Amino acid sequence: MFPLTINGIGPVGAFGAGLADFKDALTGSRKITPEITRVTTQNGDCDLPVFRADTKPLAEFIKPRKLRRLDNFSRMALLGSALAVADSAVPLNGSRAGLIVASAHGASATTFAFLDSVIDDGDALASPTLFSNSVHNAAAAHIAEHFQITGPTLSLTQGRNSLAPALLTAALWLQKGLVDTVLCGVVDCYCEVLGYCWQSYQPKCRMKSPELIFGPGEGSFFLRLSRTEKTFEPAKYGYLKRLEFDRTTLPETPFICSGNCGRYPLSADEMNPGKRLPFDTTSLCGHLPVAAGFDLAAAIALLHNQESSNGREKSAAAVLPSPTICCWEPRIEYRRKPLTGNCYWVTNHADLNLRKQA
Amino acid sequence: MRVRISGIGALCACGLDLESAVSALFQERRPPAAARRFQLHHPQDYPVFELPPSGLDKPDKNQPWLRTSRLAVAAAAAALEDSGWSKEENNLHQLSKLKVGVCIGTTVGGSMNDEKFYRDFREAKTPGLQPIDRYLRSNPADVLADVFKLSGPRLTVVNACSSGSDAIAIGTEWIRSGVCDLVLAGGSDELCRVTCNGFISLMVGDRKPCRPFDESRNGLNLGEGAAVLILESKNLYSQRTITDETEKNRNPSLFIAGSGSACDAWHLTAPHPEGRGLKQALKQALDDAEISPEEIAFINAHGTATKNNDLTEGKVLKDMFPQTPFFSTKGHTGHTLGAAGALEAAFTAALLKMKKIPPSAGFKYADPAINHTPTTTRQTIDGNFALSQSLAFGGNNSALIIELGGE
């Protein structure tokens, strides 16, 4: 089933759109300015930094008339997938392609906008347009229509552990030969309710601590994947080497684990500096449940180009004893459980004996 | 490779267990009624198919989740019981040591849309987070994995109305590929005021009992329910101890023989007029099962009773399966959205075993535009394969082929 070839990637977030923007942000050469939003909770008022994504680059891919129909959630998903396809520099044959869109909360902003229409105008005048765009698989439908993807499509929701089952499904489709390529990605959007919830769960206003400027975010990250033995050429971004569910020990290779914002302090083992790479993509895209996607993006970017200008990333590159990085996606629920999580390993070396597999 | 269905659990408006629900398919249908747990405010009533009152109606400290997950747990417990896994505590302990995945379809179970919370939020009342906590703890796949202490992949499918059948197809691949020894696969959905208003806003709801494939059809009635299939690897099944009673229930055996999934890539809310995606999904399922269309004994159609769905689906069935009897069970259950594909797969398996199929509830007059008629009386069937298919919002199409007695 594995390895899978990573042919193209499309990250979208507060850092910008595309690998170049993401790398610039990762190395500290691109300044990220969160939007400050006033939130009132039971704990009082707070100016919350919100890491909003800018989807203006979507205009390069979509006609304005079609663009108007899309909500922010679908725009981020469509932009991420369009960037991944463009990045691969190979046109997508929709009849031999599959699509997977994973999200923790779906188009929550549109769901609440639909509720606004119910509350403001009454049940009988609820908005059909808002309802249809609030359905979980609306984004996948827009992407499929845009690329004419007629293979299998899957929308899934598994909270902060949404990426691993998405990658597994992509691998199974490719192994079965249903498709030659899979667009696989994660997306989550920000809305006022999520900001309220995010801040309400905080013990105190984080902005009071100048060193801890983080807040909720939004974004998408898509990969274009194919079967390694079908490619016969070095992958543009390496290989997704392995996937493991419910692992109860820490990865044996250097690993990335972010997206926690310090809300759930990691144990000493999890913080092990010898293995855990010393950076957190939360500072690039804010806190969002599908942050694991940006960890994978960071792993790919690090392996693709280990030159870094930022001190933190230099140290990250320095502790890379092997060409393989693991993304450790812990299952952190509402009470502390024994260490459990999903892992996926990405490598930039073709030490995979491709010829033998072919 | 066929994948064994070693147990089935289901509940819906026409029965709180699989046996009574399937039996009801052959009876006069219980008409839908106004929702009991919430009120809709429209000039006319839109009836729904709601579960009869039961202990599932309210969350308690043992089951603090959204109703969708409580329904899923009830269906999964029944399925495990049916498979023989839950007879003894020791069996469940053994299960926790295996690679057991959970793949469940839903629509409502994955939506953060608590109306009371949101009304309070809009009024700047700084509402408490209990509804959000409940939503965050209610992911159906997570709930089932935690309740039954399972270790393996968890996946909640949100492919709208094909979620349940897509979940079973994915679970089948987990067994085939060796990722899992056993999978709890199915779908679950509760009736929800927000969703009801959504479907009514799309003008696809009927104020009368729905009439799938009928010329006078005018839309769907929403419903609720859950169904879970226990999919089990050949190795695991052959190794474990089977009680006489379980063996008796199982004979003859049921299998998932094939599946197919394809997208219309056409329109957000309307199916492709020629059923492009459905045809592709059906072809894929037949190829996967390595059988011809003529070997399908009957078809449990999606049959929502909306103008567009039934027209497209009916045309495709006439084109690809001109002689094969078909029916819709939504006249008894309503459209259970994320549960529908799983519930109908459960019915299909049970009917295949019974060797008889029911009349298509709500059908009376043929639609000349479809020119293909569903069953109007109960029929005995001969054959070992049956098809259950789902069409969904967003252009998703999914097909499952179930086999009786093969390996």
Side-chain angles (χ1 to χ4, degrees), chain A residues 158 246 331 333 337, chain B residues 9 11 56 62-80 92 95-96 100-106 136-157 167 174 182-189 225-230 342:
Chain A
Q158 209 56 48
D246 284 350
R331 181 169 293 141
E333 305 294 348
K337 291 179 178 176
Chain B
L11 63 160
L56 294 163
N62 295 318
Q63 300 210 341
W65 322 291
L66 293 172
R67 180 175 173 85
T68 296
S69 288
R70 300 201 302 277
L71 302 185
V73 169
L80 284 166
L92 280 181
L95 204 58
S96 69
V100 182
V102 182
C103 194
I104 297 292
T106 190
L136 290 172
R137 293 173 193 214
S138 292
N139 178 281
D142 278 342
V143 168
L144 291 191
D146 290 344
V147 165
F148 297 105
K149 299 180 173 57
L150 309 175
S151 290
R154 305 166 175 197
L155 199 168
T156 299
V157 178
W174 288 356
L182 186 141
V183 178
L184 278 64
S188 181
D189 249 327
V228 171
L229 273 55
I230 306 298

Side-chain angles (χ1 to χ4, degrees), chain A residues 1 40-42 95 104-105 108 111-112 114-116 118-120 123-124 126-128 131-133 135-138 141-142 144-145 148-159 165 168-169 172 175-176 178 192-194 196-197 200-201 245-246 331 333-334 337, chain B residues 40-43 110 112-113 115 117-119 121-122 126-129 132-133 135-137 139 141-142 146 151-160 170 173-174 176-177 179 193-194 197-199 201-202 261-263 265-269 276 280 284 288 393-394 396:
Chain A
M1 195 185 327
T40 303
T41 70
Q42 291 178 350
S95 66
H105 302 313
S108 49
T111 299
F112 291 116
F114 174 69
L115 281 179
D116 284 334
V118 171
I119 295 167
D120 292 335
D123 289 4
S127 165
F131 176 69
S132 49
N133 276 294
V135 178
H136 256 287
N137 66 335
H142 290 305
E145 193 181 332
Q148 282 299 293
I149 294 173
T150 56
T153 59
L154 171 68
S155 296
L156 70 93
T157 178
Q158 209 56 48
L168 172 63
T169 307
L172 288 169
Q175 182 191 37
K176 196 177 175 186
L178 288 178
E192 282 185 2
V193 177
L194 286 175
Y196 172 80
C197 296
S200 296
Y201 282 119
F245 286 90
D246 284 350
R331 181 169 293 141
E333 305 294 348
Y334 303 91
K337 291 179 178 176
Chain B
L40 297 169
H41 304 290
H42 292 269
M112 182 164 56
N113 61 7
E115 207 173 328
F117 172 87
Y118 187 60
R119 284 177 185 269
F121 173 79
R122 273 175 40 120
T126 61
L129 295 179
I132 303 298
D133 283 339
Y135 154 75
L136 290 172
R137 293 173 193 214
N139 178 281
D142 278 342
D146 290 344
S151 290
R154 305 166 175 197
L155 199 168
T156 299
V157 178
V158 282
N159 270 3
I170 290 168
E173 293 309 318
W174 288 356
R176 283 174 168 175
S177 62
V179 169
R193 213 184 92 82
V194 178
N197 275 326
F199 275 87
S201 78
L202 293 172
S261 176
C263 186
W266 173 255
H267 192 273
L268 189 58
T269 57
R276 177 171 69 183
Q280 190 176 320
Q284 201 182 93
D288 194 28
F393 176 94
N396 284 70

Side-chain angles (χ1 to χ4, degrees), chain B residues 366-400:
Chain B
D367 182 347
I370 299 175
N371 195 22
H372 199 35
T373 307
T375 53
T376 54
T377 57
R378 70 174 65 186
Q379 295 180 18
T380 56
I381 52 110
D382 189 22
N384 292 326
F385 296 95
L387 170 68
S388 181
Q389 64 186 30
S390 302
L391 288 76
F393 176 94
N396 284 70
N397 300 274
S398 184
L400 293 170

